[in-house]
């Protein structure tokens, strides 16, 4: 009988650990997703900014030629 009680406790403990691990995994996945979205937004912003840098470079070069 004692082994059965210990086994039941072990099973319950394992279930709790699985639930805790799953919550931890879900939290990590959420953080990773947020970071991916943030990096994608930065990349798009950087790409848009690169177009502005090229345009500014052309204006400066044109102004230098006019001087």
């Amino acid at each position: 009988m004692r082994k059965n009680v210990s086994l039941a406790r072990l099973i319950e403990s394992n279930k709790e650990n699985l639930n805790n691990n799953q919550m931890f995994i879900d939290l990590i996945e959420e953080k990773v997703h947020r970071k991916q979205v943030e990096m994608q937004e930065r990349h798009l912003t950087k790409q848009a900014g690169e177009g502005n840098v090229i345009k500014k470079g052309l204006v400066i070069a044109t102004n230098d030629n006019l001087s």
Side-chain angles (χ1 to χ4, degrees):
M1 181 71 178
R2 189 170 185 179
K3 284 184 181 180
N4 290 341
V5 172
S6 296
L7 186 57
R9 283 187 194 149
L10 183 62
I11 290 170
E12 274 307 305
S13 176
N14 283 341
K15 284 180 183 178
E16 288 176 19
N17 287 338
L18 285 173
N19 283 337
N20 289 338
N21 288 344
Q22 188 59 52
M23 288 188 324
F24 181 71
I25 288 168
D26 292 345
L27 179 66
I28 295 297
E29 286 177 344
E30 183 181 325
K31 286 184 177 186
V32 167
H33 177 70
R34 268 191 266 142
K35 195 59 147 176
Q36 286 174 333
V37 169
E38 181 183 313
M39 290 175 71
Q40 185 177 16
E41 288 172 353
R42 269 195 221 154
H43 180 69
L44 293 175
T45 303
K46 184 179 177 185
Q47 281 182 331
E50 286 171 356
N52 291 338
V53 170
I54 291 168
K55 288 176 189 173
K56 287 178 184 175
L58 291 174
V59 169
I60 292 170
T62 305
N63 288 342
D64 287 345
N65 290 335
L66 293 175
S67 300

